[in-house]
Amino acid sequence: MAETQQETVFKSVLELANNNEVPEKYIYAQGSINTSPPLLAVPQVDLSLLTSPDRQQELNKLQSGLKSCGCIQVINHGIEDSFLDKVREISKQFFALPTEEKLKYARTVNQIEGYGNDKVLTDNQRLDWSDRLYLNVFPEDIRKLQFWPQKPECFREVFEKYIKDMKLLSESLLKSMAASLSVEENCFLDQCGEHGNMIARFNFYPLCPRPDVVLGVKQHADSSAITILLQDKEVEGLQVLKDDQWFRVPVVPYGLLINVGDQVEIMSNGIFKSPVHRVLTNAERERNTLAIFIMPDVAVGIGPVEKLINEERPRAYKDIKNYVELFFQSYQQGKRPIEAAKISQELH
Ligand code: OGA
Ligand code: NI
């Protein structure tokens, strides 16, 4: 087959999986991945109670989850189970399309938006065992519809409804998060700005013959304010680092997993924790997830909320204009990006 321009950009992980190939670039040191650590007790927070007058107990649960492991499962969120199944289905159907069809939406060499996977930046980089579809969703004027699949046919309709639901859910959660710390309800939401971005990343983890040495996504923390993850309904894979130990995140079939991103850790002056996490691979079952990243408007700038700075908890982070830029600079140097936002000890 003649090579098209896109095919020179990347090879899909699915193609590697189909050939039972695990190139060296995907392999971590032998024995370095614990595939079955203990299960993490992620609190389940009932959204319908969070928005009711008698919400204190639910606010406490939310606060304690975001402080201790950096994540919660939201249940009773008002989004129908059957609709969440449809969202999962459009993702599965997209990744199951023939390669030529998917390549119509392929990212270009220097961009991340579109269908693709890890960019190879250095020789010794380890690559993630996953294919992705990355779409800028809000504000609407930054949408690049050429990357929005036209197959399956209902893709756009289902996705448009889902992102509307996600916008409302994120606003409601950011308010509850502030309320749980007894600060002004809009103080996190306002820092995201009216023109904050929403990014969607459909993740597809093909079968992998070596789950003991290959990762679906290497360890990282999210650069977002918060992330809303629709996990696979049946297949586990996500792990979270807590007190220097890895834990498995349980599957809650119709729950939505919310995790704190670096930018809410900064806004909360470190009270809420942006958890380091990674994704394992699986030799028997494929896995699909959809991550929605709520990203503050870079024109607004973020920083710790004044009321959360006091003598016991001095200001721990600088005010920052464009966190995402800082994030990628540090990430490429192999550092934990949020470190660059911290006020160094000597200044105290
Ligand atoms: C991510 C991520 C987890 C998962 O996309 O940033 O951490 O389980 N995904 O797919
Ligand atoms: Ni992540």
Side-chain angles (χ1 to χ4, degrees):
M1 193 173 82
E3 268 202 338
T4 66
Q5 198 192 347
Q6 282 99 332
E7 273 166 320
T8 59
V9 175
F10 71 96
K11 186 164 188 182
S12 75
V13 172
L14 180 59
E15 288 169 285
L16 298 175
N18 288 342
N19 296 335
N20 219 10
E21 232 186 286
V22 185
E24 174 95 21
K25 296 197 289 285
Y26 289 86
I27 299 189
Y28 284 79
Q30 209 78 26
S32 60
I33 303 172
N34 179 356
T35 53
S36 54
L39 214 52
L40 187 65
V42 182
Q44 297 195 4
V45 175
D46 182 325
L47 190 78
S48 70
L49 292 177
L50 263 191
T51 46
S52 76
D54 189 20
R55 60 180 186 163
Q56 198 51 50
Q57 198 186 338
E58 224 53 27
L59 284 178
N60 294 346
K61 217 195 274 182
L62 170 108
Q63 193 208 67
S64 95
L66 299 185
K67 269 183 180 168
S68 65
C69 53
C71 52
I72 53 166
Q73 303 267 15
V74 175
I75 54 166
N76 263 332
H77 38 59
I79 306 171
E80 302 259 348
D81 294 357
S82 59
F83 183 66
L84 292 181
D85 284 339
K86 263 193 202 160
V87 176
R88 290 176 165 128
E89 207 45 46
I90 56 167
S91 169
K92 280 193 186 145
Q93 286 175 1
F94 172 75
F95 287 107
L97 291 172
T99 306
E100 313 84 78
E101 180 64 29
K102 283 181 288 194
L103 285 177
K104 290 183 185 165
Y105 311 99
R107 69 167 171 82
T108 54
V109 188
N110 298 315
Q111 301 297 322
I112 44 174
E113 187 157 13
Y115 165 65
N117 48 28
D118 271 353
K119 280 188 206 171
V120 182
L121 298 168
T122 61
D123 282 345
N124 56 6
Q125 186 185 347
R126 294 297 98 169
L127 300 181
D128 292 343
W129 192 262
S130 53
D131 293 327
R132 305 173 190 132
L133 174 67
Y134 183 109
L135 300 174
N136 284 313
V137 169
F138 286 120
E140 280 186 46
D141 59 8
I142 63 164
R143 288 184 190 178
K144 294 205 182 86
L145 291 178
Q146 70 264 33
F147 294 116
W148 291 42
Q150 286 180 300
K151 281 188 190 161
E153 257 172 42
C154 62
F155 185 95
R156 291 187 182 189
E157 190 191 325
V158 172
F159 185 52
E160 295 247 16
K161 164 146 180 20
Y162 188 66
I163 57 190
K164 276 189 197 133
D165 289 344
M166 291 300 105
K167 191 155 197 341
L168 292 176
L169 176 64
S170 64
E171 287 168 4
S172 167
L173 284 168
L174 284 162
K175 284 187 190 176
S176 298
M177 286 160 66
S180 81
L181 298 174
S182 308
V183 290
E184 208 277 305
E185 241 186 19
N186 286 323
C187 67
F188 295 150
L189 192 55
D190 286 349
Q191 292 202 45
C192 290
E194 256 177 74
H195 305 288
N197 291 9
M198 185 193 284
I199 294 165
R201 194 161 94 172
F202 294 82
N203 299 305
F204 171 53
Y205 304 98
L207 299 183
C208 178
R210 295 298 308 276
D212 56 328
V213 286
V214 177
L215 286 171
V217 182
K218 64 179 112 6
Q219 76 172 66
H220 68 284
D222 294 345
S223 65
S224 57
I226 56 171
T227 303
I228 307 173
L229 185 72
L230 178 62
Q231 288 207 82
D232 195 284
K233 197 161 84 173
E234 291 165 356
V235 187
E236 263 182 30
L238 180 60
Q239 294 190 345
V240 164
L241 194 64
K242 181 175 183 262
D243 307 326
D244 292 327
Q245 277 198 313
W246 288 107
F247 289 86
R248 282 148 54 219
V249 173
V251 166
V252 176
Y254 295 103
L256 289 162
L257 184 83
I258 313 300
N259 72 264
V260 174
D262 286 356
Q263 301 201 59
V264 157
E265 176 169 326
I266 295 169
M267 292 178 200
S268 73
N269 200 24
I271 297 176
F272 292 149
K273 296 286 179 311
S274 169
V276 170
H277 53 283
R278 66 181 185 183
V279 181
L280 297 214
T281 53
N282 191 313
E284 273 109 48
R285 306 208 51 192
E286 294 178 338
R287 181 170 181 266
N288 283 78
T289 65
L290 170 54
I292 299 286
F293 301 102
I294 306 299
M295 309 296 296
D297 181 353
V298 293
V300 174
I302 61 149
V305 169
E306 282 302 323
K307 286 238 169 73
L308 300 175
I309 301 174
N310 51 44
E311 232 160 80
E312 278 147 57
R313 184 177 282 279
R315 172 190 269 268
Y317 305 89
K318 302 169 202 162
D319 288 333
I320 288 161
K321 206 71 195 164
N322 188 342
Y323 183 72
V324 175
E325 199 173 68
L326 187 76
F327 187 92
F328 284 109
Q329 280 165 11
S330 316
Y331 196 68
Q332 279 168 10
Q333 295 159 8
K335 293 188 206 143
R336 172 110 202 247
I338 201 167
E339 294 300 322
K342 283 192 178 148
I343 293 176
S344 62
Q345 295 303 319
E346 305 91 80
L347 291 180
H348 287 304

